[in-house]
Amino acid sequence: MKFPPFQRPATLLLCLSRHISTTTTCLSPPKQPPPPRPPPFQSTAMDLTSPPPEEEPPSYIAAARAHGIPLRQSAPIKPGPSPLQLPILNHLRTKRVILASASPRRLAMLKQLGLPNIEVWPSNSPEDLDKKTHSPEEYVSATARAKCHAVYEAVLAAQAKPDASPEHSEDPAVVIAADTIIATRAGQILEKPRSEKDHVKMLTHLRDGRYHRVLTGVCVMAPKSDASHPGYEIRGHVEDTRVFFAGEEDGLPDDVIEGYVKTREGADKAGGYALQGVGGMVLVERVEGSVDNVIGLPVRKCLQLCERVVFRQGEEGEGEEEEGDD
């Protein structure tokens, strides 16, 4: 038996390399063409005149709306408290309510009760009573009464004009006036500070006196239902509250008073401070009595006076001032 002659190593290696190259080519995947290059960036001016296109809501929101399924909000808006339901407030909500004061605090307090249609008629009555011949109670009561009379007459005069607007042709349901003063322990009457120097002096005096009284005179008028003389019902009241200031050793040194005066918060307020603001935090230690009286209007007493002049005309009220014939 004959065998083929032995081949050379070089010839054998050449045959093996050709065989491996052919097998690898058959097994490897075909080459993919390179991805196309993106087009060059083109800068275009933004059209700011046309509104942005409205985006359609997602499909699941549209489907939920179509089937009447309520959608849950991430931060639902809670409704505010319902208005206070009292007979006098329900009556006044549909009537003309005149506030004879330019005080934004008194206006805000009445609106918080749910009286949206309050007309502000600031009084031009001069506050020129002699403080030396009137006690603090007499002074604040007479001042509030004078304001109420002046504004009531101004409202009726405007109502009688031929060119009066329709909203001014209706009689006012009530006219509310108030005046607030500060009375020191010695009985001295303090009102608004006249200058920055007077402001510092006033607050220093209140601190050194330890406590003072805040008196607010409230006066309410309403037309008489039977038009009997004098044609109106009027009631008044003076609310008295004690306010205690902190002492110099308790965190109220002179530099704190001077810093508070520079805030100008109490420049337009009787006594030179605001209980509902920074003054209540840095000046006041405690309050004995009505807090809203210190802010500018004893609300509960004001509502009682409104009930008297509207619903119970002619009745005598204990602790209330009544005026007879003018």
Side-chain angles (χ1 to χ4, degrees), residues 47-156:
D47 186 8
L48 300 178
T49 60
S50 60
E54 297 184 0
E55 297 182 358
E56 293 292 333
S59 58
Y60 63 89
I61 294 181
R65 288 175 178 171
H67 290 82
I69 301 175
L71 297 176
R72 183 177 179 181
Q73 298 180 356
S74 58
I77 301 176
K78 296 182 179 179
S82 301
L84 181 62
Q85 299 297 324
L86 294 176
I88 185 60
L89 290 176
N90 295 337
H91 173 78
L92 295 179
R93 285 186 182 114
T94 59
K95 306 292 183 181
R96 290 186 70 189
V97 177
I98 309 296
L99 176 61
S101 172
S103 169
R105 295 167 298 280
R106 292 180 182 132
L107 177 62
M109 294 168 80
L110 291 175
K111 284 189 173 183
Q112 194 172 359
L113 292 174
L115 298 176
N117 303 318
I118 300 175
E119 300 178 31
V120 177
W121 290 62
S123 170
N124 295 323
S125 176
E127 302 179 20
D128 54 359
L129 294 178
D130 190 355
K131 297 181 178 67
K132 296 180 180 179
T133 59
H134 290 77
S135 68
E137 292 84 355
E138 293 170 344
Y139 179 87
V140 75
S141 174
T143 303
R145 187 175 294 270
K147 289 181 179 181
C148 201
H149 268 291
V151 171
Y152 187 80
E153 293 173 0
V155 171
L156 295 183

Side-chain angles (χ1 to χ4, degrees), residues 35-41:
R37 294 183 178 180
F41 175 75

Side-chain angles (χ1 to χ4, degrees), residues 13 25 32 67 80 83 85 109 118 122 125 131 135 137 166 180 216 227 231 234 245 248 254 274 278 284 287 291 301:
L13 291 175
T25 304
Q32 299 293 334
H67 290 82
Q85 299 297 324
M109 294 168 80
I118 300 175
S125 176
K131 297 181 178 67
S135 68
E137 292 84 355
T180 301
T216 299
I234 183 169
F245 266 27
E248 186 173 4
D254 292 344
V278 177
V284 177
V287 176
V291 174
K301 203 61 182 179

Side-chain angles (χ1 to χ4, degrees), residues 169-304:
S169 60
E170 180 186 356
D171 287 339
V174 291
V175 175
I176 302 172
D179 187 63
T180 301
I181 61 170
I182 301 294
T184 65
R185 295 179 64 177
Q188 181 184 0
I189 297 175
L190 303 179
E191 293 186 290
K192 300 174 184 178
R194 298 183 297 271
S195 63
E196 183 173 325
K197 182 178 179 181
D198 181 54
H199 198 172
V200 173
K201 181 180 178 181
M202 183 180 293
L203 293 179
T204 304
H205 181 70
L206 294 178
R207 178 200 64 186
D208 296 342
R210 199 69 182 93
Y211 74 85
H212 56 274
R213 299 163 61 204
V214 179
L215 299 122
T216 299
V218 185
C219 189
V220 180
M221 295 180 67
K224 281 202 171 184
S225 57
D226 58 1
S228 61
H229 186 75
Y232 58 82
E233 190 88 0
I234 183 169
R235 298 280 178 173
H237 172 76
V238 176
E239 189 76 12
D240 190 346
T241 303
R242 279 192 178 189
V243 178
F244 291 76
F245 266 27
E248 186 173 4
E249 67 282 356
D250 296 327
L252 190 53
D254 292 344
D255 60 337
V256 174
I257 291 179
E258 294 170 359
Y260 177 74
V261 168
K262 292 184 183 300
T263 66
R264 307 290 297 168
E265 180 188 71
D268 62 339
K269 297 170 180 62
Y273 68 95
L275 180 67
Q276 72 278 17
V278 177
M281 296 185 284
V282 301
L283 303 177
V284 177
E285 182 180 89
R286 71 179 189 274
V287 176
E288 291 182 359
S290 171
V291 174
D292 49 359
N293 173 47
V294 184
I295 298 174
L297 185 68
V299 174
R300 289 187 299 275
K301 203 61 182 179
C302 181
L303 291 180
Q304 289 180 359

Side-chain angles (χ1 to χ4, degrees), residues 7-24:
Q7 297 180 357
R8 295 180 180 179
T11 304
L12 180 60
L13 291 175
L14 179 60
C15 292
L16 289 175
S17 64
R18 288 178 180 176
H19 176 72
I20 293 172
S21 175
T22 303
T23 306
T24 305

